[in-house]
């Protein structure tokens, strides 16, 4: 039985002449937390952006629940309802409150009644510890609070999988923990997640699998224990030697 939520099969991605993703094959299983690590420029963020068609691939196929999402005739808008993504920059609407940011897509895209959308948003803001800030505008929130609102906004669409693209890298160190705590709780609730991060403690503690990318390729894929204690590749040992 195929338990994969998201599948990448022989993916190639080019930016002009530059080959940024090279023959990527990767399955993300139901309720798995797959942590993608690697040096800058290795293709990690590009891989996430290809997963929800923010970038187009040149070769291969990407499937969600067995259905192609990379086909020319795929319904991109429907796809993005099922794949939540949280970015390094929060991308909140500055003229809308936290509550309005979270309710917007369910109301406009899913045609959810205002009362139901508001109730869902309040529940999600409560889950991320920000219910008391529901009427605050983004410029009244800290970076960590903005990122937690962004997570609640993505969850409001009830996605099958959540993609996190270096969501703590723009935060002050003391704010990182509150965002990682929300992600840790999501993992505990069984959310399927792909996480690009430099937070090795999170990868070791929360990840079910660590995937190392370098030069546009997957060079190692292992359990956190195996990867951090006994990397199987020279590239993995080199990467860890610069961090640990």
């Amino acid at each position: 039985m195929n338990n994969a939520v998201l599948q990448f099969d022989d993916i190639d991605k080019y930016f002009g002449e530059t080959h940024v993703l090279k023959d990527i094959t990767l399955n993300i299983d139901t309720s798995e937390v797959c942590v993608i690590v690697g040096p800058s420029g290795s293709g990690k963020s590009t891989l996430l952006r290809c997963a929800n068609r923010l970038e187009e691939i040149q070769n291969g196929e990407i499937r969600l629940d067995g259905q192609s999402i990379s086909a020319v005739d795929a319904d991109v808008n429907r796809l993005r309802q099922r794949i939540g993504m949280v970015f390094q920059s929060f991308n909140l609407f500055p003229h809308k409150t936290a509550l309005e940011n979270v309710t917007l897509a369910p109301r406009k895209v899913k045609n959810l009644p205002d009362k139901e959308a508001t109730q869902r948003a309040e529940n999600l803001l409560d889950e991320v510890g920000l219910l008391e800030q529901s009427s605050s505008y983004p410029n009244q929130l800290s970076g960590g609070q903005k990122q937690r609102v962004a997570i609640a906004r993505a969850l409001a669409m009830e996605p099958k999988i959540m993609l996190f693209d270096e969501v703590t890298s723009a935060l002050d160190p003391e704010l990182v923990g509150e965002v990682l705590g929300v992600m840790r709780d999501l993992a505990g609730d069984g959310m399927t997640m792909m996480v690009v991060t430099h937070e090795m403690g999170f990868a070791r503690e929360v990840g079910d699998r660590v995937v190392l990318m370098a030069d546009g390729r997957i060079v190692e894929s292992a359990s956190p224990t195996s990867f951090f204690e006994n990397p199987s590749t020279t590239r993995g040992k080199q990467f860890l030697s610069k961090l640990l």
Side-chain angles (χ1 to χ4, degrees), residues 39-212:
S40 296
S42 58
K44 308 182 300 295
S45 294
T46 300
L47 182 63
L48 288 196
R49 291 174 66 84
C50 288
N52 68 354
R53 295 281 297 268
L54 289 174
E55 299 288 352
E56 300 293 340
I57 60 174
Q58 276 70 53
N59 295 306
E61 186 175 40
I62 305 173
R63 295 192 297 275
L64 180 68
D65 284 341
Q67 295 186 323
S68 177
I69 61 178
S70 52
V72 175
D73 60 350
D75 186 338
V76 176
N77 290 328
R78 185 167 179 271
L79 150 73
R80 289 181 182 148
Q81 294 179 41
R82 301 167 67 201
I83 300 180
M85 188 160 183
V86 185
F87 300 86
Q88 177 180 335
S89 55
F90 324 111
N91 292 353
L92 298 177
F93 291 107
H95 60 291
K96 293 186 179 296
T97 65
L99 185 70
E100 289 168 340
N101 266 281
V102 179
T103 59
L104 184 64
R107 288 192 297 107
K108 298 293 187 182
V109 179
K110 285 194 166 184
N111 297 313
L112 214 62
D114 286 352
K115 184 177 180 180
E116 188 177 343
T118 298
Q119 184 62 61
R120 179 184 295 179
E122 288 177 343
N123 290 342
L124 288 168
L125 288 171
D126 192 29
E127 283 183 30
V128 301
L130 287 175
L131 182 58
E132 72 283 359
Q133 302 288 345
S134 61
S135 60
S136 297
Y137 290 89
N139 66 1
Q140 298 172 308
L141 302 174
S142 70
Q145 290 172 327
K146 291 176 190 175
Q147 200 58 287
R148 285 186 281 156
V149 173
I151 292 172
R153 178 180 61 182
L155 290 171
M157 295 299 286
E158 300 181 312
K160 288 291 301 272
I161 183 170
M162 286 282 286
L163 312 178
F164 294 90
D165 187 12
E166 298 187 1
V167 296
T168 60
S169 62
L171 300 180
D172 293 333
E174 65 269 22
L175 302 178
V176 169
E178 64 190 50
V179 175
L180 293 181
V182 170
M183 295 167 65
R184 190 177 291 110
D185 290 343
L186 282 178
D189 291 340
M191 173 61 73
T192 308
M193 298 161 62
M194 276 184 80
V195 182
V196 170
T197 187
H198 295 293
E199 300 291 338
M200 295 300 120
F202 177 88
R204 187 192 288 264
E205 176 191 350
V206 182
D208 296 302
R209 179 166 41 139
V210 178
V211 172
L212 172 65

